[in-house]
Amino acid sequence: MTAAAVSTDGLDGLDGVAGLDGAAGADNVATTADRRPPNAFLAVAGRSVPTVLLYVVSISAALGLCAILVSTTGGSATKVFSALLDGSIRSAGAWGITISTATPLLVVAIGTIVGAKAGMDNIGQEGQLLLGAGAAAFVATRLDAPGPVLLTASFLAAAAVGGLWASLAVLAKFTRRVPEVISTLLLIFIASQIITFALTKKWLLRALDSSSRTNNGEPLPKSARMPGIEIFGNVVSWGAVVALLLTAVIAVVLARTTIGFKLRMLGLNPRTARRFGVSAIGIGGGALIFSGAAAGLAGGLWLTGGTAGDRFTGGISSNIGWQGLLVALLARQKAALAIPMAFVFAGLRTGSNFVAATGVDRRITDVIQAMLVLSLLVPPAIQSLQRRRRRSGVAA
Amino acid sequence: MIAFGGSLLDVLSSNTMYSSTVRFAALMAFAAVGEWVAEKSGTMNISVEGMILTGAFTAALGSYWFDNPWMALLIGMLGGFLVAAIHANMSHRLGANQFVVGLTLNVLAVGLTAFLDAQIRPTVTRVPEFEIPVLSSIPLIGDALFNRTWVLYLLYPLVPLAWFIVYRTRWGLEVRAVGENPQAADVSGIHVNKRRRQAIYFCGACAGMAGAYLTIGQSGSFAADGVSGRGFLALAAVIFGGWTLKGTIAGALVFGVFQALGSAYQALGYEANPSLLGALPYVMALATLLLFAYRSRQPSSLGRPFVRGLT
């Protein structure tokens, strides 16, 4: 590393993969002018296109593509849209269910954001969540304690197991340089096999009186169900309050505390962070473990307060982990933004229950979710390219 | 313990074992060859899973529409290429984070193929086995390697071809250069991001072949959960191989053995916990990464975006 290279190091994240933040971070230290002729696509997009317009165009394009997809496969896009609205907010009690679904998504997303801020790309939430839910189910069905104690104990167990699972990836990264992107991914598949195994053993998760061939967990006791708050006929689980509190705390910690600053510094520029004495293992590894613990906690919240039924099953995670990860990507590392995004995704999820009635397969909502994420990646990327061009004095 | 050892020996020496090892390994090898080229150019291409899945589905569509395995293969490759085109242009033209794009494309592929499969319900004609005379009578491995569908035989020329392209052509040299030192490559006049995009296109076509092999060569139908993480195993195979082609293929074989072990063990009527056997390939992939990732030298700029003018 040359001296010149060091001098250009600001906190602008050109070292390595700068977190799960969509656009490449490094756009403001262009030392050499980019002399290539401007790209035709960018010329169309223009230099002075306002941010809002870019987003509107991009999102409409994504939704338009989904509508075309529905129409060309023999469905009606307007009916699907209306069914989505019915299922997510319009029908009786739908708000409450959507919020209860948004809760685990938000918690997963908050954890992911913390990890990504520190430059640790955890993408194994699906497995961490599943194990977390399993741990919560184990404690909730075994421990004989009054409601609040029981719930707290199961949440702690869920978070601990989720964090433990993520810590395996931390170990692999810092002792053997295995990229956490790969290890967390592979750990998902191992986690799901562990749960399948646990559901075959009565001393682990299998229901004690189970004689059927389908392996399910013991029904949760009443005291292990998260109490709900009733607002205008909608039952909202207390878990939502927990999730919102957690979001607020994390937002403040990230923005206002030393540890939050260290974390962000590590994510933006690990080299600078190292010089300031930030421990990559302590802070970075801690952030990854935290994101695993959050995913585990989300599993506990989903089990006790979600709409997953009254007992633990092997399919309980049903993409909540993946979707929570997408929420974090959509929120672009901003904790506060994760709240509305989680609600939108939860709406798509609960709305999908009504889509089947229109004759269109419900998994269209998975497509919509992914398309939304892709569409939101485009505007910031275009803008960062434009900023770079402008600064280096090349007419766009 | 002795009983277990005996059963293991029995399984390992069985014909089922050899043939299912090749079956599992071939799927990963197709994809891993492509992934290897993409990683040589500096992209950690995690959307390979989505590429295989899309390829598997579009191959089913091709078989359904044209009732012709060649068209199915072609359309399968096209499906993989399509995912690659989105990935390449978003991460190496627009500069979006390659992990984010890859991850989202995987999710998109899962949703889109499941949705379209439910809407269209394509029926697939499976390609029958084609025995290569002489070679197929080699003891032990002959039947497993040379009495398969012709789709699998495509792998045999593909591997040396990929090696030749990467190590013996100008394009390959440039691909390796942009993976090792994009700044230097850029200064010497190589269009870094273009080479990286092209390498991803190649990966997409290979992964599409993997998908087509899965659909028309193996199962004879499309299953939404048919790939289930084997794209990620292909990715692990590249790391296992220390970014050499030989090692990558060896990695695919090793992971194939562990997958085959699970299915062969039960096929021969032995008692074993299916979920533990199911976890085996992933556990072994992780274990081999722990052993090998540290020692081997990856392309220096693997996973790092290239923006001109930055050090």
Side-chain angles (χ1 to χ4, degrees), chain A residues 2 4-5 8-9 14-36 39 41-42 69-70 73-75 121 123 171-173 175-179 181-187 189-190 192-194 196-198 200-201 271 319 322 325-326 329 359-364 366-371 373-375 377-378 381-382 384-385 388, chain B residues 35 39 44 46 49 86-87 90-91 93-121 186 191 193 197 224 227-230 232-236 239 243 255 273-298 302-311:
Chain A
T2 63
T8 56
D9 282 351
L14 35 153
D15 201 355
V17 189
L20 287 169
D21 63 341
D27 54 74
N28 47 353
V29 261
T31 47
T32 329
D34 190 348
R35 301 270 177 232
R36 257 190 292 127
N39 183 312
F41 175 61
L42 288 174
L69 186 67
V70 169
T73 51
D121 300 336
I123 53 181
L171 265 179
K173 183 181 174 78
T175 59
R176 308 295 304 176
R177 279 193 224 155
V178 179
V181 178
I182 313 291
S183 53
T184 50
L185 258 180
L186 291 174
L187 283 169
F189 298 96
I190 302 175
S192 92
Q193 297 294 348
I194 290 178
T196 316
F197 173 75
T200 60
K201 299 291 174 218
R271 245 183 292 167
N319 284 337
W322 287 114
L325 174 54
L326 292 187
L329 298 182
V360 174
D361 192 78
R362 59 180 294 167
R363 277 163 294 199
I364 183 66
D366 295 348
V367 180
I368 298 176
Q369 290 178 341
M371 290 297 281
V373 178
L374 278 183
S375 74
L377 285 176
V378 175
I382 290 181
S384 102
L385 274 185
R388 220 160 53 78
Chain B
E35 177 69 28
E39 295 206 8
M44 181 77 94
I46 62 171
E49 171 95 1
I86 302 175
H87 188 146
M90 286 201 71
S91 46
R93 194 188 285 276
L94 289 177
N97 180 315
Q98 52 184 271
F99 293 116
V100 174
V101 176
L103 191 71
T104 316
L105 283 175
N106 283 340
V107 176
L108 180 65
V110 172
L112 195 59
T113 54
F115 170 73
L116 288 175
D117 184 45
Q119 296 290 96
I120 303 175
R121 297 235 162 270
D186 184 48
H191 194 321
N193 283 332
R197 288 198 294 268
V227 183
S228 63
R230 280 186 279 171
F232 302 132
L233 286 180
L235 212 161
I239 305 179
W243 290 271
F255 298 155
N273 192 300
S275 43
L276 294 188
L277 287 175
L280 196 61
Y282 302 100
V283 174
M284 292 321 292
L286 208 56
T288 51
L289 292 187
L290 288 175
L291 284 176
F292 296 113
Y294 194 77
R295 264 197 316 205
S296 56
R297 213 188 61 77
Q298 61 179 44
L302 186 62
R304 296 176 183 216
F306 171 72
V307 186
R308 190 179 273 187
L310 294 170
T311 49

Side-chain angles (χ1 to χ4, degrees), chain A residues 218-233:
Chain A
E218 180 87 1
L220 297 183
K222 264 248 154 18
S223 56
R225 291 295 299 178
M226 202 72 159
I229 323 159
E230 199 175 315
I231 313 166
F232 304 121

